[in-house]
Amino acid sequence: MLVHEGLYIGGEWRTAADNPSIEVRSPSTEELIGSVPAATPGDVDAAVAAARRALRSAEWAGLDPERRAELITRFADELVADLSERAALTSKQNGMPISVALPAEGELPVGLLRYYAEMIRNQPVEECRPRLDGRGTTVVRREPVGVVAAIVPWNFPQTLTMFKLAPALAAGCTVVLKPSPETVLDAFELAAAADRAGLPPGVLNVVPGGADIGSYLVAHPGVDKVAFTGSTAAGRSIGEVCGRLLRPVTLELGGKSAAIVVDDADVAAMAQRLAGVSLLNNGQTCYISTRILAPRSRYDEVVDAVAGLADSLTVGEPLARTTQIGPMVSSRHRDRVESYIALGVSEGAKMVAGGDRPDIDRGWFVRPTVFAGVDAGSRIAREEIFGPVLVVLPYDELDEAVVLANDSDYGLGGTVWTSDVDKGIDLARRMETGSVGVNFYSLDPGAPFGGYKDSGLGRELGPEGLTAYQHLKSIYLPL
C-alpha cells in the first residue's frame, strides 16, 4: 500500500499529521491501495504563497527559455525512468486497462513536457514589429500569466495534469495542482519526479482534496489563472467565479459526441475501431463518440456490428494485458452508470448488448451496453453517461445526420465514417464540435483541443495551449 504522510508545498514534503486522510480503493478489488493527507484551506494558502514566491524568484523567473527548457526536459527524463510503474498506478486507481494506460498515462505526459520544452526554445520572448502608421516600432513581449490553479479529474489524471502543467512551466508560470480524490497517488509521484528533476521550490505544489478545496483554490486572491477539466456543472460554477474576478480560465468539460456513419462506410472496419473511439477507458472519456448515427438503409447492420463489438470485448482486471474494459472508478459511479441503463429501458429503448455486470466476484464492473430504437430526445441520447453505454440512432439523409449530430448541448469530439475521405472532411466541417476524426479518432498533441457550447472554453495542446499561459505586452517605440 502506498501511504504519503505529507503534502508537497514549496519544494518540501510537509508533515500533515493532523489532516484527514484521502483513501484510495482499487476499483477491481475494492481494497485499500493507498492514502494521502487531505489539504486544508491553510495548506492551499501556503501552496499559493509558495507559488507566488517562486514566480518572482531568481531560481525560476531568472531563467532564460533555454535553461527553463532544460529543467522541463529533465522532468521528462525522470518520468521516463518509472513510466511503467506510473501507468500501472493509474490503472490501479481508476480501472483503466493497462493497454491504454501505458501510452496515455505513461508516454504522453513525457511527450508533452518535451514538446513544450522544444517550443519554448524556439519562441522568442520578444519580437519587434513595424507600426502600421509607419511612426516607429512595437515590441511584443510574452510573459507568464502567473500562478495557475490546475484542477484535474480522475479519468486520465497524469495526462490531463500535463495538458496544463507542461505549457504552464514552459511559459514560466508556477502551479498549484489539485488532483481528484479518486486518483491522488499519481499526483504525488509526479511531484516527486519534479523534485528529483530540480524544479525550484514552489514551482509545483500539490493540494489534494474535494470540491470544497477546489472552490477555495479557484477563488483564491493569489491565483492568476484557472485551468480545469471535469464536469460541465462544475465548470459552469468555476466559470462564474472567474468571470466575476476577471480571471483567465480554461474549461475542458463534458461531451456527448456523435459518430456519423455514412451509407458507403465499411461497417465491419468501423466496428473494430469503435473500441478505442466509443469505449475508450471503459467509456470514462469526455470526447468519445457515444451517439452512433446510422443510415436507416443500413441501421440493422450497424446495430448488429456495434452490439457484436460490445459483446466481444474482454472485461476484467485492468492490469491484465488482455483486458479491454475495466471497472468503473467507484461504486458510486457504477451506480450512476447503471441508473442510466435502467433509464434507457424505462424510456423504451431496446437493449441489444450488455446491461448487466460480468461474472466477477469483486470490483465495480459494468458490461459494455448498446441501445437501439432510441428516441433522439431521450435522456440516454442527450446526457453524458461517462460509462460504456452507446446508443444507435437512425437517419434518412446526411443533412438530417448533421442536424442530429449538432442537436446537443455539447460539442467536444465526433467522428465520421465513410469510404470517401473528402465527403468525411466536408461533414466534419459542418459539425459543431471542437474536434472530429474521419474513420478514427485520436488526439493530436500538436493541435488545439477543446469544445464548443457546454463542452468548455479555451483550448489546450498545440501552440495554442502555450499561449493560454502567456500575457502579451506591447511596448511602443517612436522613430
Side-chain angles (χ1 to χ4, degrees):
M1 188 165 70
L2 191 58
V3 177
H4 290 276
E5 303 288 349
L7 298 171
Y8 189 70
I9 296 174
E12 300 176 346
W13 294 98
R14 301 190 179 189
T15 302
D18 295 332
N19 293 37
S21 293
I22 297 174
E23 295 185 339
V24 181
R25 291 192 174 273
S26 163
S28 58
T29 69
E30 306 180 31
E31 295 175 353
L32 186 66
I33 59 173
S35 66
V36 304
T40 66
D43 295 321
V44 175
D45 291 341
V48 173
R52 294 219 69 82
R53 289 192 299 271
L55 185 67
R56 304 302 178 201
S57 70
E59 294 87 351
W60 185 242
L63 297 179
D64 60 25
E66 179 61 34
R67 282 288 296 121
R68 196 158 66 245
E70 288 175 3
L71 270 178
I72 295 169
T73 301
R74 198 179 306 158
F75 186 10
D77 292 341
E78 289 293 337
L79 292 181
V80 169
D82 63 354
L83 189 151
S84 297
E85 291 81 1
R86 286 186 300 100
L89 186 55
T90 293
S91 294
K92 293 174 184 177
Q93 292 178 103
N94 71 2
M96 179 185 293
I98 191 65
S99 60
V100 176
L102 283 169
E105 291 287 279
E107 296 169 5
L108 184 53
V110 174
L112 287 171
L113 283 170
R114 290 180 171 160
Y115 172 71
Y116 283 108
E118 188 63 22
M119 187 178 297
I120 205 68
R121 282 189 175 102
N122 296 313
Q123 184 185 78
V125 175
E126 297 181 348
E127 59 180 279
C128 194
R129 302 178 186 176
R131 290 176 59 100
L132 291 183
D133 58 14
R135 295 188 298 148
T137 57
T138 297
V139 174
V140 178
R141 177 176 174 80
R142 297 176 176 86
E143 298 180 347
V145 74
V147 174
V148 176
I151 302 175
V152 299
W154 48 259
N155 60 327
F156 287 87
Q158 295 181 54
T159 287
L160 293 173
T161 291
M162 213 54 76
F163 275 27
K164 300 153 184 58
L165 182 58
L169 294 179
C173 298
T174 57
V175 177
V176 179
L177 170 66
K178 193 206 84 67
S180 171
E182 289 84 356
T183 49
V184 290
L185 302 177
D186 60 281
F188 280 61
E189 297 305 305
L190 286 176
D195 193 67
R196 294 193 302 270
L199 257 65
V203 171
L204 172 62
N205 310 270
V206 181
V207 288
D212 57 336
I213 288 299
S215 297
Y216 186 78
L217 177 60
V218 165
H220 199 287
V223 167
D224 299 303
K225 174 185 168 64
V226 176
F228 171 79
T229 299
S231 72
T232 294
R236 202 181 302 279
S237 297
I238 290 170
E240 289 173 355
V241 172
C242 291
R244 175 171 52 81
L245 297 174
L246 298 179
R247 180 167 293 169
V249 61
T250 302
L251 301 173
E252 196 270 280
L253 308 177
K256 189 73 173 180
S257 301
I260 298 178
V261 183
V262 182
D263 59 8
D264 64 0
D266 183 335
V267 171
M270 176 204 72
Q272 290 304 309
R273 294 175 183 172
L274 281 183
V277 171
S278 297
L279 294 166
L280 181 68
N281 191 20
N282 318 329
Q284 299 173 141
T285 306
C286 53
Y287 58 71
I288 54 176
S289 296
T290 54
R291 292 185 295 145
I292 315 297
L293 310 183
R296 199 174 298 274
S297 62
R298 302 185 68 185
Y299 183 75
D300 290 342
E301 179 187 358
V302 172
V303 168
D304 289 345
V306 175
L309 166 73
D311 284 337
S312 73
L313 297 177
T314 300
V315 181
E317 163 60 44
L319 291 177
R321 292 300 184 110
T322 56
T323 291
Q324 295 165 290
I325 299 290
M328 300 295 93
V329 70
S330 66
S331 174
R332 181 179 63 180
H333 189 60
R334 181 181 63 178
D335 290 345
R336 181 180 186 275
V337 172
E338 289 182 330
S339 73
Y340 270 102
I341 293 172
L343 177 63
V345 173
S346 69
E347 288 180 326
K350 180 182 179 183
M351 191 161 56
V352 295
D356 57 0
R357 301 176 184 180
D359 187 17
I360 300 175
D361 292 338
R362 296 185 298 175
W364 302 310
F365 294 91
V366 177
R367 287 206 302 134
T369 302
V370 179
F371 283 102
V374 180
D375 184 274
S378 65
R379 288 180 60 189
I380 62 167
R382 301 194 65 83
E383 297 180 12
E384 183 177 40
I385 299 173
F386 219 64
V389 181
L390 308 180
V391 298
V392 188
L393 303 159
Y395 70 85
D396 291 304
E397 303 292 338
L398 272 179
D399 286 345
E400 180 190 359
V402 173
V403 170
L404 283 171
N406 293 339
D407 182 22
S408 173
D409 294 332
Y410 299 105
L412 188 57
T415 51
V416 179
W417 302 87
T418 176
S419 61
D420 184 340
V421 173
D422 289 338
K423 182 185 293 184
I425 294 172
D426 179 63
L427 287 169
R429 290 180 177 129
R430 297 170 63 190
M431 294 172 72
E432 297 169 356
T433 189
S435 54
V436 184
V438 178
N439 294 326
F440 92 127
Y441 187 101
S442 179
L443 292 188
D444 175 9
F449 174 74
Y452 292 12
K453 299 182 279 189
D454 286 0
S455 288
L457 297 172
R459 293 294 182 268
E460 296 182 306
L461 301 180
E464 295 80 2
L466 177 60
T467 301
Y469 293 92
Q470 294 174 323
H471 279 315
L472 297 178
K473 175 185 292 182
S474 294
I475 303 172
Y476 306 128
L477 302 175
L479 284 172

